[in-house]
Amino acid sequence: MFKLAKYLKPFIGMILVAIILLFVQAMSDLSLPDYMSNIVNKGIQQGGIESAVPEAVRKSKMDKLTLFISDKDKTDVSNNYTLINKSSSDYNKYVVDYPTLEKEPIYVLKDIDKTEIATLNPIIGKAFLSVSGVEKMKADAKGGVMSFNGTKLPANTDLFALLGKLPAAQRAKISEETDKKITALGDSMIVQAAANSIKIEYDALGMNTDKIQSSYILRAGMFMLLLSLVGAACTVMVGLIASRTAAGLSRNLRKDIFTKVESFSSTEFDKFSTASLITRTTNDITQIQMVVVLAIRMVIYAPILGIGGVMKALNKSTSMSWIIALAVIVLLGLIGSIFAIALPKFKIIQKLIDRLNLVTRENLSGMMVIRSFNTQKFEEGRFDKANSDLTSTNLFVNRVMVALFPAMMLVMNGVTLLIVWVGAHQIAASSMQVGDMMAFMQYAMQIIFAFLMMSFMFIMIPRASVSAQRIYEVLKIEPSIIDPIEPKHFAKEVKGLVEFKNVSFKYPGAQEDVLKNISFIASPGKTTAFIGSTGSGKSTLINLLPRFYDITNGEILIDGMDIREVTQHDLRDQIGYVPQKGSLFQGTIESNLRYADESASDDDIKKSAEIAQATEFINQNPEGFKSEISQGGANVSGGQKQRLSIARALVKKAKIYIFDDSFSALDFKTDALLRKSLKDQTASSTFLIVGQRISTIKNAEQIIVLDEGTIVGIGTHNELMENCTTYQEIALSQLSKEELA
């Protein structure tokens, strides 16, 4: 995968934007449980009262509260509250919010920051709890007697007045004992416990406590909705960026692979099967595209969510952190086991896809042969074997992956039950709030979900890694046939004189030369023909001129210039090539003929078709040159395909024409007419013809006879009939002496 990392460089900006959006999305997702916790704790349980510091309190109540506040803290409290009475300038403003102001003075909280409120929370909260405890003590009195600090007192005793008369040291001692019990609850529980007393105080002030509660819940709900919308927007944007990045990466990879394959010589093509190259260009790149999408959306997001979830969960409760640790250990073991089982199979799957493509391609392209030999059953069995092997391997991997999800759900549900079990005990012990337990549960789910997303990647990355390696194998190959660093150029007017000087050639890895010391000259305006038995090296020799292979020794010259000193484009621009097997492309007859020269005129197209003797069957079709050609030219006969291939080469108006046994599918009459027309219309060009039929080549100005890669005869037909035994044997095997005369 890392070897293809350079293909991500054009998309670095988009990836950075995606990372920022993912961070925002993660923060939004991590904030939602906090707001949910606040709604439960503060909105529902505390009635919308966010802190133990009331925004207003009656003077009579404040006098009671200060009995349980130390002298040092009293200063802080008094500095942050303002006493309002009927003579105050703000009386009319506050009496609307606090109707009780008409009856008695009140203290109103000044505009202070959250830090100061956090400081006052435990001070005033403890005071409220202490006051409510004293009031409850009086309310619970039985038989007209109550117990206070170990002393029996009449039920109608004013305990607050009594406390006020006690010495400061004794009152501090009583408060200290109460503080120890309250402090053990923790700040959040102090606020929650004091909230009910504050709500009673607000009722006493004439405030609408129901409105306070509903306003808080609505406000928190709106924030949750806003965060959800932000998270959703980020998700959509990240999805778009991930898709565009992955699609762009795939486009560039396909382009480079296709360009690389186009630069391959026949030597490189021998290293890969066509089916394998197709699989690498399609399926393998698709695997990488899927991983890039998931990587951008999950690999970056999952760690942020997981780490953030752990921090948030620990902030809610450190005592239950062992539950998350246990879940993570179980998940890591689960993912590791699946990774170890699935990885070897992914390497096998891609090779099996190659095999299936190969078998399918052979069956479709060789359908006529299969039917003619009645081997349908055999081919069906061969396909079934390839298909079954791929299916069984895929099923095995999918079964392993399927087992992952129920296991994950089991872990998630087990963690939920464990959190509820432990959390319930802590709530009962007043060491945790209900909302905090719910938030902790959601954070635990987010952490597990982060690992679940990572498990997806652990499954996809190995397969994509195999695909990336296969793609890199194609991209890293340096073609054996390359252009020179400082190429030369042909003269403006190319004559087309071809000369082979002591040319030898052997295939890569072969022990012996296929061609040995080949030397000849092919002059413009003349036809040079090659003939020989099967395997004598005719097509191999012809393929050296356009540099489909590079020679091992010797030189090949065009107009005295070595073909290795010019670019492949310039070289092939001078050659009109008709391969042994005619190949047409899907489109029309016209589009196939224009393949040689897009700017060719209609007259040039028609003239080339006439020379190739293709006009007759073209005109038989009502659509003429607009007639459809199916893929590979499957809807035309072998002879028609050859004539169209010849016409396509003639459209190029090249100086050198190569016909690699291109007349074999033509009848003798068409063959003779075509060669005569070629001679008349393109007299200034050099013709190199590979033929098997004596009738095709007997009129050539120069015939070269090959046998086992060496030249055993050069001359005209008559000369070779006199002095070349190999040529005589070939000629007499096809025609009688009278016909050869």
Side-chain angles (χ1 to χ4, degrees):
M1 288 290 287
F2 293 109
K3 294 173 182 176
L4 301 179
K6 65 179 182 179
Y7 284 91
L8 287 172
K9 286 183 179 179
F11 309 101
I12 291 296
M14 294 175 68
I15 293 172
L16 290 175
V17 172
I19 292 172
I20 294 170
L21 290 172
L22 285 168
F23 189 82
V24 174
Q25 180 189 345
M27 291 302 102
S28 300
D29 292 342
L30 289 169
S31 297
L32 289 174
D34 262 340
Y35 279 98
M36 181 271 298
S37 173
N38 289 337
I39 287 175
V40 173
N41 292 338
K42 298 177 182 179
I44 297 173
Q45 291 189 300
Q46 297 174 201
I49 297 168
E50 299 182 53
S51 71
V53 182
E55 61 181 74
V57 62
R58 292 170 296 164
K59 183 178 182 302
S60 58
K61 190 71 170 183
M62 182 64 84
D63 292 340
K64 294 177 183 179
L65 293 173
T66 53
L67 293 173
F68 300 94
I69 299 175
S70 66
D71 293 338
K72 176 180 175 298
D73 293 336
K74 280 180 186 176
T75 305
D76 289 338
V77 172
S78 62
N79 288 339
N80 289 295
Y81 277 92
T82 303
L83 181 64
I84 305 295
N85 52 37
K86 290 183 178 181
S87 61
S88 300
S89 58
D90 293 333
Y91 172 80
N92 292 329
K93 172 185 174 184
Y94 288 111
V95 76
V96 177
D97 296 328
Y98 314 112
T100 303
L101 182 58
E102 292 181 353
K103 300 176 183 178
E104 63 173 302
I106 63 171
Y107 282 96
V108 177
L109 184 67
K110 294 178 180 178
D111 188 14
I112 59 176
D113 58 26
K114 291 182 178 179
T115 306
E116 192 63 32
I117 288 177
T119 304
L120 294 175
N121 252 334
I123 298 170
I124 299 178
K126 290 174 186 177
F128 264 106
L129 291 177
S130 298
V131 170
S132 63
V134 171
E135 290 174 343
K136 187 175 183 300
M137 190 185 302
K138 188 172 182 178
D140 292 343
K142 295 180 181 178
V145 178
M146 62 179 175
S147 176
F148 176 72
N149 200 28
T151 306
K152 299 291 184 180
L153 297 171
N156 60 356
T157 304
D158 188 348
L159 293 177
F160 294 105
L162 180 63
L163 283 168
K165 293 176 182 178
L166 290 175
Q170 188 176 353
R171 193 166 65 245
K173 186 178 180 182
I174 295 172
S175 298
E176 186 179 345
E177 292 175 359
T178 308
D179 281 354
K180 286 181 180 178
K181 296 177 183 178
I182 297 173
T183 303
L185 295 174
D187 287 355
S188 61
M189 293 303 296
I190 290 172
V191 173
Q192 183 173 326
N196 190 53
S197 299
I198 295 172
K199 185 177 180 182
I200 293 170
E201 178 62 19
Y202 283 169
D203 284 331
L205 286 167
M207 296 171 65
N208 188 344
T209 53
D210 290 338
K211 185 178 180 181
I212 292 173
Q213 183 176 30
S214 60
S215 296
Y216 180 85
I217 293 174
L218 284 172
R219 189 166 63 252
M222 289 300 293
F223 272 115
M224 288 185 73
L225 180 61
L226 181 62
L227 284 171
S228 298
L229 291 174
V230 170
C234 289
T235 302
V236 172
M237 290 299 296
V238 169
L240 177 63
I241 290 171
S243 298
R244 290 182 67 87
T245 301
L249 175 71
S250 300
R251 176 199 63 212
N252 294 344
L253 275 174
R254 287 193 183 97
K255 176 186 174 184
D256 283 4
I257 288 179
F258 187 77
T259 304
K260 175 66 75 171
V261 170
E262 277 194 318
S263 71
F264 281 180
S265 67
S266 298
T267 303
E268 283 75 49
F269 275 115
D270 293 340
K271 296 178 182 178
F272 301 98
S273 68
T274 303
S276 179
L277 286 173
I278 291 172
T279 303
R280 292 169 200 247
T281 310
T282 53
N283 185 276
D284 284 324
I285 291 180
T286 300
Q287 297 299 324
I288 292 175
Q289 183 173 343
M290 289 172 61
V291 163
V292 170
V293 170
L294 291 175
I296 294 174
R297 298 186 67 175
M298 293 185 182
V299 168
I300 300 167
Y301 177 68
I304 299 173
L305 189 67
I307 295 169
V310 169
M311 294 172 65
K312 290 278 190 178
L314 292 177
N315 189 45
K316 290 296 178 185
S317 174
T318 55
S319 60
M320 291 199 295
S321 58
W322 62 272
I323 298 175
I324 295 176
L326 178 63
V328 168
I329 291 169
V330 172
L331 288 172
L332 287 175
L334 197 62
I335 294 169
S337 301
I338 289 171
F339 182 79
I341 295 170
L343 179 59
K345 296 296 181 182
F346 287 129
K347 294 180 180 178
I348 296 170
I349 284 174
Q350 296 306 114
K351 292 181 180 178
L352 291 175
I353 291 173
D354 278 354
R355 176 65 183 165
L356 184 65
N357 280 346
L358 177 64
V359 173
T360 304
R361 186 181 176 83
E362 285 184 345
N363 270 269
L364 293 175
S365 60
M367 188 60 69
M368 300 288 285
V369 178
I370 293 167
R371 289 175 178 172
S372 66
F373 284 94
N374 287 321
T375 56
Q376 289 94 330
K377 292 293 181 184
F378 172 77
E379 292 299 330
E380 285 174 11
R382 201 159 72 101
F383 178 82
D384 284 343
K385 175 69 168 59
N387 195 21
S388 297
D389 289 345
L390 178 59
T391 302
S392 60
T393 308
N394 269 321
L395 282 174
F396 176 83
V397 172
N398 287 332
R399 287 189 186 107
V400 172
M401 291 172 63
V402 164
L404 175 66
F405 300 106
M408 287 285 189
M409 292 305 298
L410 180 65
V411 172
M412 290 174 71
N413 291 326
V415 167
T416 302
L417 287 172
L418 203 54
I419 290 171
V420 171
W421 176 267
V422 176
H425 284 82
Q426 293 191 7
I427 291 169
S430 297
S431 59
M432 176 179 263
Q433 294 177 279
V434 175
D436 288 345
M437 185 198 74
M438 295 173 66
F440 189 91
M441 192 185 303
Q442 287 204 13
Y443 286 130
M445 294 303 103
Q446 286 179 334
I447 294 165
I448 293 172
F449 185 64
F451 276 91
L452 185 62
M453 286 191 288
M454 291 303 295
S455 70
F456 273 113
M457 296 308 303
F458 281 127
I459 290 168
M460 295 299 298
I461 285 175
R463 186 170 184 181
S465 179
V466 173
S467 296
Q469 181 60 37
R470 285 160 54 84
I471 291 169
Y472 183 69
E473 286 173 1
V474 178
L475 293 174
K476 74 177 181 179
I477 288 182
E478 291 299 328
S480 57
I481 298 177
I482 57 175
D483 291 332
I485 298 173
E486 296 181 1
K488 295 181 179 179
H489 300 281
F490 289 115
K492 190 172 183 181
E493 293 294 330
V494 177
K495 297 177 181 178
L497 178 67
V498 176
E499 182 177 2
F500 276 58
K501 282 187 177 181
N502 298 317
V503 171
S504 296
F505 171 76
K506 66 179 177 182
Y507 288 103
Q511 297 295 323
E512 296 182 2
D513 289 338
V514 178
L515 298 172
K516 309 176 189 74
N517 297 319
I518 304 295
S519 296
F520 67 88
I521 295 174
S523 302
K526 296 182 179 179
T527 300
T528 299
F530 302 87
I531 195 168
S533 59
T534 302
S536 60
K538 304 184 298 297
S539 293
T540 301
L541 187 149
I542 276 302
N543 285 332
L544 295 177
L545 182 57
R547 290 190 75 189
F548 295 154
Y549 290 100
D550 253 351
I551 59 177
T552 307
N553 293 305
E555 291 179 306
I556 300 176
L557 309 175
I558 293 179
D559 290 355
M561 187 177 293
D562 194 319
I563 60 173
R564 290 170 294 186
E565 294 180 345
V566 298
T567 64
Q568 296 172 68
H569 179 273
D570 286 353
L571 169 64
R572 291 164 187 167
D573 210 32
Q574 310 304 323
I575 300 172
Y577 180 72
V578 184
Q580 193 169 14
K581 182 181 178 182
S583 179
L584 300 179
F585 300 95
Q586 187 176 17
T588 63
I589 291 175
E590 182 182 358
S591 68
N592 271 275
L593 298 187
R594 287 189 185 279
Y595 196 77
D597 183 3
E598 291 183 0
S599 61
S601 65
D602 291 342
D603 289 339
D604 290 338
I605 297 289
K606 290 177 182 178
K607 186 175 181 181
S608 298
E610 288 173 3
I611 297 172
Q613 308 301 305
T615 308
E616 183 180 351
F617 77 82
I618 292 173
N619 291 335
Q620 286 176 355
N621 195 309
E623 296 179 353
F625 284 90
K626 300 294 183 182
S627 301
E628 289 292 325
I629 297 292
S630 62
Q631 185 179 3
N635 62 335
V636 294
S637 69
Q640 291 171 345
K641 192 185 296 184
Q642 277 196 345
R643 280 178 277 175
L644 289 175
S645 296
I646 293 169
R648 178 174 60 196
L650 294 172
V651 169
K652 194 172 185 180
K653 296 182 179 179
K655 288 297 181 180
I656 302 167
Y657 287 99
I658 298 175
F659 298 92
D660 188 0
D661 200 13
S662 308
F663 307 100
S664 58
L666 305 180
D667 59 80
F668 287 100
K669 179 182 177 183
T670 305
D671 183 0
L673 289 172
L674 195 155
R675 284 186 287 107
K676 184 178 184 303
S677 185
L678 275 174
K679 192 71 173 174
D680 294 341
Q681 300 296 329
T682 56
S684 63
S685 298
T686 303
F687 285 91
L688 303 175
I689 298 176
V690 172
Q692 295 285 0
R693 297 192 306 206
I694 292 294
S695 59
T696 301
I697 66 168
K698 64 180 292 188
N699 295 322
E701 284 81 4
Q702 178 177 239
I703 300 172
I704 298 174
V705 185
L706 295 172
D707 185 31
E708 295 185 357
T710 59
I711 295 177
V712 294
I714 296 181
T716 63
H717 169 71
N718 293 331
E719 290 170 349
L720 292 171
M721 286 299 295
E722 291 179 5
N723 55 34
C724 183
T725 306
T726 303
Y727 185 79
Q728 291 171 5
E729 291 174 354
I730 296 171
L732 292 171
S733 68
Q734 296 181 19
L735 301 172
S736 64
K737 290 184 178 180
E738 291 76 11
E739 291 172 315
L740 291 169

